[in-house]
Amino acid sequence: MSEDIKNFLYLNRRAPYGTIYAWESLEVVLIGAAFDQKVSLAFVDDGVFQIVKGQDTSAIEMKNFSPTYSALGDYDVNQLYVEQESLEERGLSVDDLMHLTWEDEDEDWAEKDSIRVVSRAELNKIIEAQDVVFSF
Amino acid sequence: MKFAIQINEGPYQHQASDSAYLFTKTALEKGHEIFRVFFYHDGVGNGTRLTTPPQDDRHVVNRWAELAEKHELDLVVCVAAAQRRGLVDDGEAERNGKDATNIHPKFRISGLGQLIEAAIQADRLVVFGD
């Protein structure tokens, strides 16, 4: 295994249910967290629905995997970009999203927000800066 | 250049596997290296040897297998995705008490770590799918 550390971005573009892409993307993120790369996630288009709070899947008999996003901080996955335009186009704001946090070891385990809302233009630059983009 | 290939869609339903195959074949012909081809989501369906397309159509599975034979390609099917979709090798049949296998011998079932490793090792990860 190479010692190089790469910038990994998981680009989540789809709604959490309806197709399996979101859930299987999260499985890659969890496995990938063991590889000590610099990892971030981006939520765009219907992907922003993946981290909406208060999800209830009982009526569609699907597993509600949204609590898993809350565990990402424990895996040192704490850079979650959400595209502003995608939120607005769907009538959502950051207040509709789960409050996802991580604890900063370097600052006496201070709790910090994982989610950062960025504009489409900013996200373009973030994607440009990646070595690897997993698109789901 | 060293490429890693990820295929996210099943055969015939979607052109992803065809496009990935043509990309891979051309890259190899141009002297590039393919570190690994990783099949994920419904892409695992590209690895069943039981596929029987009409005779006048391309054989997506055998085409990958032939390319793998020629270039010693590493064709890896994700185990978690495979278990959900019934893609089985000897080890999986044994572990999960299944009465049959269906994986093509040129493919192997392994973990998602193989995808991450490929993304780390390769110069470029190219993802095929919607």
Side-chain angles (χ1 to χ4, degrees):
Chain A
M1 179 84 44
S2 161
E3 295 302 310
D4 297 340
I5 293 184
K6 287 189 169 182
N7 292 309
F8 273 49
L9 177 74
Y10 295 88
L11 187 60
N12 296 295
R13 301 175 290 129
R14 293 189 182 82
Y17 311 100
T19 66
I20 200 170
Y21 295 104
W23 173 228
E24 287 192 333
S25 168
L26 202 48
E27 290 192 330
V28 182
V29 173
L30 295 174
I31 297 288
F35 282 74
D36 295 328
Q37 304 296 305
K38 195 168 173 300
V39 172
S40 52
L41 274 59
F43 297 87
V44 303
D45 300 344
D46 280 349
V48 297
F49 286 116
Q50 293 179 25
I51 51 172
V52 162
K53 66 185 174 191
Q55 295 180 32
D56 177 4
T57 59
S58 53
I60 55 170
E61 300 188 7
M62 304 282 273
K63 175 174 162 184
N64 180 357
F65 60 88
S66 62
T68 310
Y69 293 99
S70 304
L72 289 177
D74 299 333
Y75 287 82
D76 291 327
V77 177
N78 49 39
Q79 299 286 320
L80 274 57
Y81 302 106
V82 181
E83 195 195 68
Q84 177 76 41
E85 287 88 338
S86 294
L87 286 174
E88 287 170 359
E89 285 159 7
R90 288 158 183 81
L92 298 171
S93 75
V94 72
D95 296 333
D96 296 304
L97 306 180
M98 292 186 275
H99 187 214
L100 301 176
T101 59
W102 61 289
E103 292 176 342
D104 191 343
E105 189 180 345
D106 298 331
E107 291 185 23
D108 197 25
W109 306 99
E111 190 177 87
K112 297 187 173 179
D113 287 339
S114 298
I115 291 179
R116 217 182 102 203
V117 178
V118 294
S119 69
R120 192 161 283 168
E122 284 174 293
L123 190 58
N124 281 346
K125 292 197 183 112
I126 290 163
I127 292 172
E128 280 280 306
Q130 303 301 315
D131 299 304
V132 178
V133 179
F134 289 102
S135 179
F136 289 104
Chain B
M1 189 171 279
K2 195 193 296 185
F3 290 103
I5 307 293
Q6 180 183 340
I7 299 168
N8 288 340
E9 315 292 342
Y12 302 102
Q13 167 81 13
H14 200 291
Q15 202 176 330
S17 182
D18 297 271
S19 300
Y21 168 80
L22 293 171
F23 179 92
T24 301
K25 182 167 168 284
T26 306
L28 289 164
E29 285 166 3
K30 300 272 185 196
H32 297 291
E33 182 185 339
I34 304 291
F35 181 80
R36 177 169 296 144
V37 182
F38 192 87
F39 296 86
Y40 198 43
H41 303 308
D42 278 359
V44 300
N46 288 285
T48 168
R49 66 170 188 272
L50 303 185
T51 299
T52 314
Q55 282 189 357
D56 61 352
D57 199 356
R58 73 229 186 273
H59 197 306
V60 172
V61 179
N62 287 357
R63 213 167 49 167
W64 274 116
E66 285 154 17
L67 197 65
E69 172 77 32
K70 190 172 172 191
H71 297 280
E72 296 182 347
L73 281 182
D74 190 17
L75 306 181
V76 178
V77 173
C78 170
V79 62
Q83 285 173 340
R84 288 192 179 105
R85 295 165 177 86
L87 214 280
V88 181
D89 66 3
D90 288 335
E92 285 297 304
E94 173 82 24
R95 261 187 298 283
N96 300 311
K98 301 299 178 187
D99 61 3
T101 70
N102 56 353
I103 195 162
H104 190 288
K106 286 293 168 192
F107 292 68
R108 65 187 180 93
I109 294 179
S110 191
L112 278 168
Q114 299 275 306
L115 171 62
I116 306 293
E117 187 206 9
I120 295 170
Q121 296 293 337
D123 301 311
R124 292 280 190 282
L125 169 76
V126 186
V127 183
F128 292 86
D130 275 337

